Amino acid sequence: MTKFLDTLDKIGRLDKKLQEQLASVQWFCENGSIYEVYLHSLNLEETAERLVLLTRVLPAYTGVRNAKLEVEHRIKDCIPVEIGFTEERWFCLRIPALLPKKAGGSADYIRSFLYPAMQAFFEKRPPVRYQDCVLIYRHVYDRARPERKMRDHDNIEINMVSDIVAMYVMPDDSPAVCSHYYCSTAGQEERTEVYVVPKKEFPIWLAMENTMPDEGVELYEKR
């Protein structure tokens, strides 16, 4: 139980830090300093991510059988990733949140929910391999988000997502196999959409992008 107790101690320290940061965000919010609210909110978000990662490994340190599997089930319930194929036979996944900024722990956080979701989806399906394609990231922001708070595309953690997607639907994500395209749009709820589209069909996707429904295009289990 040494590992369990050590991790529990780390969780306690992070929880204390989280509460302190939460108090700072509340104080600056009440005093009308919006930019300080923004900066302290970023710190709060990073601490919360680290806290989540530690709490996810904690059950496994008890030694109880299938603890990791049970955690994966709960992650799936909390972060319902949508995976499927569009009517045009393009691969698509939807994550019900914006991807985090490039920071320590972000890649592990993404891996913890996306890899099990992709593994489960393709467990009983034949492999798919798109050749000469475009890997598209469509960041959907809440309409209430101030335009100036949209992040630069090159400051968002996408490498882990690309690696996992390539593992299941492409030979790899090298420039020889795929090009990358990034865009942002406003929507009712924030999410991240990822598409894999044959390069020759990319102009079709681009023409459709502005007319995509607020809830996202319909996805099918089979290609």
Side-chain angles (χ1 to χ4, degrees), residues 29-132:
C29 185
E30 291 168 359
N31 286 272
S33 182
I34 301 302
Y35 190 68
E36 289 295 334
V37 170
Y38 168 68
L39 292 178
H40 283 77
S41 294
L42 287 177
N43 293 335
L44 180 67
E45 184 270 342
E46 182 178 351
T47 301
E49 282 196 21
R50 295 180 183 276
L51 186 60
V52 167
L53 289 173
L54 283 176
T55 56
R56 283 180 177 171
V57 300
L58 191 64
Y61 291 147
T62 63
V64 174
R65 186 179 178 183
N66 293 329
K68 182 180 178 182
L69 184 62
E70 180 60 31
V71 169
E72 289 180 355
H73 288 325
R74 298 194 179 204
I75 291 173
K76 184 178 179 180
D77 291 338
C78 293
I79 310 176
V81 179
E82 297 179 80
I83 303 174
F85 301 93
T86 69
E87 186 177 359
E88 297 78 12
R89 297 166 60 90
W90 303 328
F91 174 77
C92 176
L93 70 84
R94 289 195 285 258
I95 300 169
L98 294 172
L99 294 179
K101 292 176 62 179
K102 292 178 180 177
S106 296
D108 288 337
Y109 176 76
I110 295 169
R111 184 192 296 111
S112 67
F113 67 81
L114 184 56
Y115 179 72
M118 289 285 283
Q119 188 179 40
F121 181 81
F122 283 101
E123 187 175 17
K124 298 181 181 179
R125 291 176 175 82
V128 177
R129 289 291 179 263
Y130 290 87
Q131 304 281 352
D132 196 22

